[in-house]
């Protein structure tokens, strides 16, 4: 099965394209779903790279990207790519130039020493952090902070490489005096602990590919009981997306070892600093206490 066997109107801008991808995702073949994930997670790469380079990076043959575009009504991949290029050209001033500079810098790197690896990671992290300023919507930040503020208890769940993000959230929320519960998988009790959540509470979930089954199951069960959910994930096609009241999609760039947590950690800190400003009625210099303070 391709995208779907029915006539659809060819999307004319980036936002329409993403909506169509979301609507058709469940009916796509596995290879088309992989392409859809790549397109939604790496819009800047799609805008500036050739289809052959995109195919090599994503692990899907370039011809499949061409067929994907044609299945959406485009003559070829370049027509689909033009939507991504238009999106990039209307982003923050100088953003397109920064992306192209990043591609050039990484492409020309020949230093394979320990310092070279660090340089590679730092350059990618800087790009990811700058992208958040363009991609994350102010209204989503405001709603997420409001949900954190009014929740009786904030339940936190994140496993595998997502765990450090929720551990940071637990530390800061605790120091702010906000009641929180970490749904720790230790002892196999996370799912059972989650059943204590009430509609006046909040579930904050973090999960990236390949999504931990228990995290996905807890999120879906909580959503079914009407519990508000804030989520950090790597794509608007993440299994957390359909359940979250607020979803922050922080795309995962190509890393040779593992995903960097610089961007999601920064986002988690931004949310808690904004929460501190509300709780302390101090938008000028909100403070997060530390355990070692006297």
């Amino acid at each position: 099965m391709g995208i779907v066997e029915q006539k659809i109107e060819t999307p004319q801008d980036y936002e329409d394209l993403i909506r169509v991808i979301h609507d058709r995702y469940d009916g796509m073949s596995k290879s088309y779903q992989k392409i859809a994930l790549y397109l939604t997670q790496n819009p800047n790469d799609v805008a500036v790279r050739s289809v052959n380079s995109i195919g090599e990076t994503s692990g899907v043959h370039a011809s499949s990207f061409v067929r994907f575009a044609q299945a959406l009504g485009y003559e070829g991949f370049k027509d689909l790519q033009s939507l991504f290029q238009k999106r990039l050209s209307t982003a923050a001033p100088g953003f397109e130039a920064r992306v192209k500079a990043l591609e050039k810098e990484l492409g020309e790197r020949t230093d394979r020493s320990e310092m070279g690896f660090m340089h590679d990671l730092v350059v990618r992290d800087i790009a990811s952090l700058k992208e958040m300023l363009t991609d994350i919507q102010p209204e989503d930040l405001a709603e997420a902070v409001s949900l954190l503020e009014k929740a009786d208890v904030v339940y936190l769940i994140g496993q595998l490489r997502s765990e450090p993000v929720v551990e940071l959230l637990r530390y800061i929320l605790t120091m702010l005096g906000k009641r929180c519960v970490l749904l720790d998988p230790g002892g196999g009790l996370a799912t059972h602990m989650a059943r204590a959540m009430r509609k006046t509470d909040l579930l904050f979930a973090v999960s990236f590919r390949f999504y931990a089954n228990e995290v996905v199951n807890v999120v879906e069960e909580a959503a079914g009981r009407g519990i508000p959910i804030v989520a950090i994930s790597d794509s608007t096609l993440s299994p957390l997306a359909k359940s979250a009241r607020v979803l922050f999609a922080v795309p995962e760039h190509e890393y040779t070892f593992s995903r960097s947590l610089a961007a999601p950690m920064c986002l988690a800190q931004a949310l808690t600093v904004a929460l501190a400003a509300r709780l302390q009625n101090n938008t000028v210099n909100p403070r997060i206490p530390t355990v070692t303070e006297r």
Side-chain angles (χ1 to χ4, degrees):
M1 184 184 295
I3 292 185
V4 281
E5 300 301 328
Q6 67 182 76
K7 181 70 174 177
I8 60 172
E9 186 175 346
T10 303
Q12 297 302 307
D13 58 38
Y14 174 80
E15 289 74 19
D16 284 342
L17 172 63
I18 297 303
R19 277 195 290 270
V20 168
I21 288 175
H22 284 191
D23 291 343
R24 310 293 175 179
Y25 183 76
D26 289 339
M28 294 179 185
S29 65
K30 292 296 184 183
S31 63
Y32 276 22
Q33 286 184 343
K34 191 172 182 179
I35 290 172
L37 281 169
Y38 187 86
L39 294 178
T40 58
Q41 289 178 326
N42 304 277
N44 299 324
D45 286 352
V46 174
V48 300
R49 287 187 171 187
S50 69
V51 67
N52 289 329
S53 174
I54 292 170
E56 183 178 349
T57 300
S58 65
V60 179
H61 198 277
S63 62
S64 294
F65 278 87
V66 175
R67 289 194 295 272
F68 181 93
Q70 291 171 340
L72 287 172
Y74 302 102
E75 289 189 12
F77 183 75
K78 283 190 175 296
D79 292 332
L80 182 151
Q81 187 180 40
S82 68
L83 304 186
F84 289 83
Q85 292 169 341
K86 184 177 180 180
R87 168 192 172 273
L88 191 58
S89 67
T90 56
F95 190 69
E96 183 176 6
R98 292 201 303 270
V99 172
K100 289 182 177 179
L102 170 66
E103 293 293 329
K104 186 174 185 294
E105 184 169 1
L106 292 175
E108 294 178 353
R109 185 174 73 82
T110 58
D111 183 0
R112 302 300 172 188
S113 68
E114 292 80 1
M115 194 66 189
F117 288 123
M118 187 178 78
H119 175 271
D120 192 349
L121 289 169
V122 169
V123 168
R124 291 184 187 278
D125 283 346
I126 290 172
S128 295
L129 290 165
K130 286 181 176 179
E131 281 180 39
M132 288 203 302
L133 295 176
T134 302
D135 295 344
I136 290 181
Q137 301 303 309
E139 56 269 24
D140 288 339
L141 282 171
E143 183 176 4
V145 175
S146 294
L147 290 170
L148 284 166
E149 182 181 20
K150 69 182 182 181
D152 288 342
V153 181
V154 178
Y155 285 80
L156 305 165
I157 188 165
Q159 297 176 6
L160 305 175
R161 54 184 173 170
S162 305
E163 185 177 8
V165 183
V166 292
E167 286 283 7
L168 175 66
L169 285 167
R170 178 173 69 159
Y171 170 73
I172 299 178
L173 290 172
T174 299
M175 298 310 297
L176 289 175
K178 191 72 184 180
R179 293 174 61 200
C180 61
V181 175
L182 178 64
L183 299 176
D184 190 334
L189 292 175
T191 298
H192 299 279
M193 293 167 62
R195 291 174 185 153
M197 287 187 289
R198 301 170 299 174
K199 291 182 180 180
T200 54
D201 299 327
L202 172 72
L203 176 61
F204 198 119
V206 184
S207 188
F208 309 112
R209 284 187 308 166
F210 298 91
Y211 313 98
N213 288 334
E214 188 171 29
V215 174
V216 174
N217 291 339
V218 166
V219 167
E220 290 179 348
E221 194 273 340
R225 294 197 286 121
I227 294 164
I229 297 165
V230 173
I232 297 176
S233 194
D234 52 10
S235 170
T236 52
L237 292 172
S238 160
L240 276 57
K242 62 181 180 292
S243 301
R245 180 83 59 87
V246 180
L247 173 73
F248 295 105
V250 182
E252 178 175 22
H253 291 280
E254 179 189 1
Y255 288 91
T256 55
F257 176 67
S258 181
R259 84 165 287 134
S260 169
L261 293 176
M265 283 289 203
C266 179
L267 176 57
Q269 286 184 296
L271 288 167
T272 52
V273 169
L275 175 63
R278 293 196 188 188
L279 295 177
Q280 298 165 7
N281 194 26
N282 179 5
T283 59
V284 177
N285 187 31
R287 294 186 65 258
I288 296 176
T290 62
V291 172
T292 54
E293 281 187 343
R294 290 182 180 272

